[in-house]
Amino acid sequence: MKHHQYALTPPMGWNSWDCYGATVREDEVKGNADYMAANLRKYGWEYVVVDIQWSEPGAVSSAYRPFVPLEMDEYSRLIPALNRFPSAEGGKGFKPLADYIHDLGLKFGIHIMRGIPRQAVHQNTKILGTDITARDIAKPNSICPWNTDMYGVDASKEGAQEYYDSLFELYAEWEVDFVKVDDIADSKLYGAHTEEIKMIRKAIDRCDRPMVLSLSPGPAPLEHAALLEENANMWRMTDDYWDLWELLYNMFDRCYKWSKNSGPGYWPDADMLPLGHIGIRSVDGGASDRYTRFTKDEQVTMMTLWSIFRSPLMFGGELRDNDNWTLSLLTNEEVLEVHKNSHSARQVYRKDDKVVWTAQGDDVLYVALFNIGEDKQEVTVDFNQLNLSSSEQVQLRDLWKREQLVSVNNEISYELSPHESMLLKLS
């Protein structure tokens, strides 16, 4: 499929939600882009994504304000709020900000909500290039349970596809590279909105600009795996993920279930990495302004699981406040090689909160050992389970510590503290 070419490896970038909620401003986006260009671009980090409510002038934290006015053009399409994105003045939209990010050698992304603005429906504004109006295509009983901005679009109505086409024509004019669509992969009220997913796919294909399509939130239903793969590049397999051990613990089961439905151009998404300085103006995740609550062992465990499973990597913290430790998690080339270029990831076993995963590389095997229990325990995997001959002598390398370990045959076994992990390369 053509759109799979847009994300042959899992996308890597920064998203404004975990630190700024619904309120990010242009200067903050540019500042994080500058940091990424200087410190992360050479490691493969490239997307800078403005998350939800960029059209709302008065947005506060991550608490959605019901039925507030949004900035919109005459064709029922939301546009950036000028008080937050001043370069959009004069109808330029996000084009000047996209230009700034492209000039850094990076790519630009935005978040949108599924559907058509309610205010467009109430004002009965036009759909570009048609005699149809917003009221003609809206599905007022298809709403998002946690955000009041939009009504769904009725795919059976004349003008419905034209509305989505006009949206993505606008994003192509802005030179957007990545679009995260929310309230679509799973809805707490209606499940997956499959017809709107298909309309969006068609609109991107017609706008003639390569855009990575990310679907949120989750958990996306496993029975829709084929539809998601046919239409999107990544889709959330979880609800919003935060820096709580329980959520990381649960992710092991989600990754196991989705591990067969991943490949070049289509990636189940374990959600953003709540690392570094988060919660600056976002109240989600149970606490305000803070550094991540994950311990260092838990941070490594999360990065190890995301890397061997090959989830997209979207950093959620304020990049400019990274300490050396946080930066080291994002710039370990040996770990990122697993994320970029391994394949055939699978869970070898899970027993008593001992978990082992493996993935294949070029003439090497990667093995991840996890202790996700509350007591120190030995995590062991024998060569038979890894499809290796027990007589082989295997060199082990610890990828996080970047050091050679003693060579082994027959089995690999290490004592791990609670929530600790290891990522090994076998050669």
Side-chain angles (χ1 to χ4, degrees):
M1 291 175 206
K2 182 184 173 187
H3 66 274
H4 287 171
Q5 303 300 312
Y6 308 157
L8 291 173
T9 58
M12 298 166 60
W14 174 82
N15 177 296
S16 60
W17 174 256
D18 283 359
C19 45
Y20 293 114
T23 70
V24 74
R25 300 187 304 261
E26 183 166 1
D27 61 305
E28 292 161 338
V29 177
K30 287 180 171 178
N32 278 275
D34 292 341
Y35 179 98
M36 185 183 288
N39 300 285
L40 298 175
R41 187 183 70 176
K42 64 184 175 188
Y43 298 97
W45 299 85
E46 60 178 347
Y47 290 98
V48 176
V49 182
V50 176
D51 210 270
I52 197 167
Q53 301 303 116
W54 40 262
S55 59
E56 183 188 343
V60 278
S61 75
S62 51
Y64 302 115
R65 304 185 308 146
F67 309 111
V68 293
L70 307 172
E71 296 202 16
M72 186 178 81
D73 73 5
E74 62 185 307
Y75 297 114
S76 312
R77 303 176 297 186
L78 297 176
I79 55 176
L82 289 180
N83 64 325
R84 293 168 52 197
F85 298 95
S87 72
E89 193 172 7
K92 297 189 195 80
F94 271 130
K95 177 71 164 63
L97 180 55
D99 288 345
Y100 183 92
I101 287 166
H102 291 149
D103 287 346
L104 295 171
L106 302 172
K107 294 180 178 176
F108 177 61
I110 58 173
H111 170 292
I112 66 170
M113 293 294 291
R114 166 188 74 88
I116 190 162
R118 291 191 193 194
Q119 70 185 45
V121 177
H122 300 157
Q123 295 167 22
N124 207 22
T125 46
K126 298 173 185 172
I127 305 300
L128 180 68
T130 75
D131 297 326
I132 309 290
T133 62
R135 206 169 291 166
D136 296 326
I137 66 168
K139 206 172 180 179
N141 62 346
S142 177
I143 58 170
C144 172
W146 43 267
N147 181 293
T148 61
D149 292 347
M150 315 295 269
Y151 289 130
V153 170
D154 187 340
S156 69
K157 295 292 177 66
E158 186 186 347
Q161 184 64 53
E162 286 81 355
Y163 165 70
Y164 271 121
D165 289 352
S166 75
L167 264 193
F168 283 88
E169 278 172 31
L170 182 65
Y171 303 157
E173 288 167 17
W174 291 348
E175 296 191 7
V176 170
D177 306 295
F178 180 107
V179 181
K180 172 183 172 183
V181 185
D182 214 333
D183 187 43
I184 196 163
D186 179 60
S187 160
K188 289 178 170 62
L189 293 178
Y190 315 100
H193 291 277
T194 56
E195 294 310 308
E196 289 191 78
I197 290 171
K198 291 174 189 172
M199 285 195 285
I200 289 168
R201 171 77 270 140
K202 196 179 285 186
I204 296 175
D205 292 343
R206 287 176 173 176
C207 83
D208 210 27
R209 179 174 177 80
M211 294 182 201
V212 170
L213 176 58
S214 165
L215 303 179
S216 281
L222 200 53
E223 63 267 24
H224 287 320
L227 172 109
L228 295 165
E229 180 184 326
E230 284 164 16
N231 291 282
N233 297 106
M234 47 191 274
W235 54 87
R236 284 262 295 277
M237 52 183 196
T238 174
D239 205 344
D240 282 6
Y241 172 81
W242 283 98
D243 48 335
L244 298 165
W245 172 252
E246 177 193 7
L247 299 182
L248 177 48
Y249 182 92
N250 291 338
M251 199 64 72
F252 281 84
D253 188 47
R254 296 180 191 279
C255 290
Y256 169 64
K257 286 177 178 168
W258 277 100
S259 58
K260 299 289 187 290
N261 298 97
S262 173
Y266 54 100
W267 309 105
D269 178 15
D271 201 15
M272 285 184 290
L273 300 163
L275 293 170
H277 188 189
I278 58 177
I280 297 168
R281 292 198 300 275
S282 179
V283 296
D284 271 26
S288 55
D289 197 350
R290 65 188 185 278
Y291 278 75
T292 184
R293 293 172 293 203
F294 282 138
T295 65
K296 286 188 174 180
D297 279 345
E298 290 166 352
Q299 292 174 55
V300 169
T301 289
M302 176 174 67
M303 288 298 295
T304 300
L305 180 62
W306 267 236
S307 296
I308 201 162
F309 173 75
R310 303 187 76 200
S311 170
L313 299 180
M314 288 287 167
F315 187 86
E318 168 51 78
L319 285 169
R320 294 168 291 180
D321 294 340
N322 279 353
D323 56 13
N324 289 336
W325 162 260
T326 307
L327 182 59
S328 76
L329 292 173
L330 310 182
T331 55
N332 183 316
E333 299 102 325
E334 298 184 53
V335 173
L336 291 173
E337 173 66 19
V338 182
H339 180 256
K340 281 187 190 117
N341 294 321
S342 67
H343 60 88
S344 309
R346 67 182 177 94
Q347 179 181 288
V348 179
Y349 76 81
R350 177 173 180 171
K351 186 184 178 191
D352 302 329
D353 286 336
K354 293 183 268 201
V355 184
V356 176
W357 276 71
T358 184
Q360 197 70 46
D362 291 336
D363 301 322
V364 296
L365 191 67
Y366 299 109
V367 175
L369 310 177
F370 301 96
N371 174 10
I372 59 173
E374 300 307 315
D375 300 299
K376 188 176 278 195
Q377 53 186 346
E378 197 92 12
V379 181
T380 302
V381 60
D382 67 47
F383 279 19
N384 203 29
Q385 293 169 297
L386 300 173
N387 300 321
L388 296 173
S389 162
S390 57
S391 61
E392 285 184 73
Q393 192 77 11
V394 171
Q395 294 290 318
L396 293 186
R397 181 168 177 81
D398 184 322
L399 298 187
W400 282 111
K401 293 182 177 170
R402 304 187 195 221
E403 62 186 32
Q404 292 299 122
L405 305 175
V406 293
S407 57
V408 295
N409 55 21
N410 200 36
E411 70 172 25
I412 300 166
S413 190
Y414 285 94
E415 187 175 66
L416 299 177
S417 298
H419 307 180
E420 191 185 5
S421 61
M422 290 180 80
L423 182 56
L424 305 170
K425 181 166 81 171
L426 282 59
S427 56

